[in-house]
Amino acid sequence: MSREQILIVDDDPTLLDLLGEHLEASGYGTLRAESGEQGLALARTAAPDLVVLDVMMPGMDGWEVCRRLRRDSDVPVVFLTAKDEELDKLRGFRLGVDDYVTKPFSFAELTARIGAILARAQRTTARQSFVSGDLHIDFGQRRVTAGGDAVELTPTEYRLLEVLAQDPHRPVSTDRLLQQVWGPAYAGESEHVKHYIWSLRKKLEVDPGDPQHILTERGYGYRLE
């Protein structure tokens, strides 16, 4: 069985080597590019399973690489960025970025996020949409509508909703949500989940205080109905 291939695009050769070695030790194959142009060429010829892409690079930056990738590919993309601004994340989300990791970061956390994204991609390949009443999620287009109106979600809100939609009608534990949405560094931070669940309810529910879609499993987690 062939290993999943991760394309790493970063103009820092030391980071390229260290991250590449860590991913290979974790069971992945790697492709490495030191520029946006080289990374785009490799993505088109080698068809990797996921792209780890630095945002700030000389010449063709990560924004442009992602924009061109999305013309003919839905390969998962993880941005490496020195910024943690919500507006930057929204900009990337509109381009189809799957996750953000802010520098400096731990290789273990990035590897965990990569594993979660690849697992989600495998589970959603066969099912391109989720429909429940007036709620519609188009996984291919990363588009959510409620009551016929488009709903603009932050990257974290979308990831949280996506994980819940992988197992509709079944409770998903708070620990699993933290692991798959935020990564291992947030273990035990249940308040993060509560905050974003409330934010999702305000955007998706007719009455957030009496939710019909995102229900609480008291003492365990949440489920999507």
Side-chain angles (χ1 to χ4, degrees), residues 75 151 166:
V75 61
V151 180
Q166 288 166 7

PDB file of all heavy atoms in Angstrom, residues 75 151 166:
ATOM      1  N   VAL A  75      -7.186  19.411  -3.635  1.00  0.00           N
ATOM      2  CA  VAL A  75      -6.254  18.829  -2.676  1.00  0.00           C
ATOM      3  C   VAL A  75      -6.299  19.620  -1.367  1.00  0.00           C
ATOM      4  O   VAL A  75      -6.350  20.854  -1.378  1.00  0.00           O
ATOM      5  CB  VAL A  75      -4.822  18.807  -3.253  1.00  0.00           C
ATOM      6  CG1 VAL A  75      -4.313  20.217  -3.557  1.00  0.00           C
ATOM      7  CG2 VAL A  75      -3.860  18.105  -2.308  1.00  0.00           C
ATOM      8  N   VAL A 151     -24.398  31.008   4.637  1.00  0.00           N
ATOM      9  CA  VAL A 151     -23.906  31.312   5.983  1.00  0.00           C
ATOM     10  C   VAL A 151     -22.386  31.419   5.918  1.00  0.00           C
ATOM     11  O   VAL A 151     -21.721  30.474   5.477  1.00  0.00           O
ATOM     12  CB  VAL A 151     -24.306  30.221   6.988  1.00  0.00           C
ATOM     13  CG1 VAL A 151     -23.776  30.560   8.382  1.00  0.00           C
ATOM     14  CG2 VAL A 151     -25.821  30.047   7.013  1.00  0.00           C
ATOM     15  N   GLN A 166     -19.739  14.457   9.983  1.00  0.00           N
ATOM     16  CA  GLN A 166     -19.185  13.158   9.591  1.00  0.00           C
ATOM     17  C   GLN A 166     -19.964  12.011  10.224  1.00  0.00           C
ATOM     18  O   GLN A 166     -20.047  10.925   9.654  1.00  0.00           O
ATOM     19  CB  GLN A 166     -17.712  13.067  10.006  1.00  0.00           C
ATOM     20  CG  GLN A 166     -16.797  13.937   9.174  1.00  0.00           C
ATOM     21  CD  GLN A 166     -15.430  14.075   9.817  1.00  0.00           C
ATOM     22  OE1 GLN A 166     -15.132  13.406  10.819  1.00  0.00           O
ATOM     23  NE2 GLN A 166     -14.601  14.927   9.263  1.00  0.00           N
TER      24      GLN A 166
END
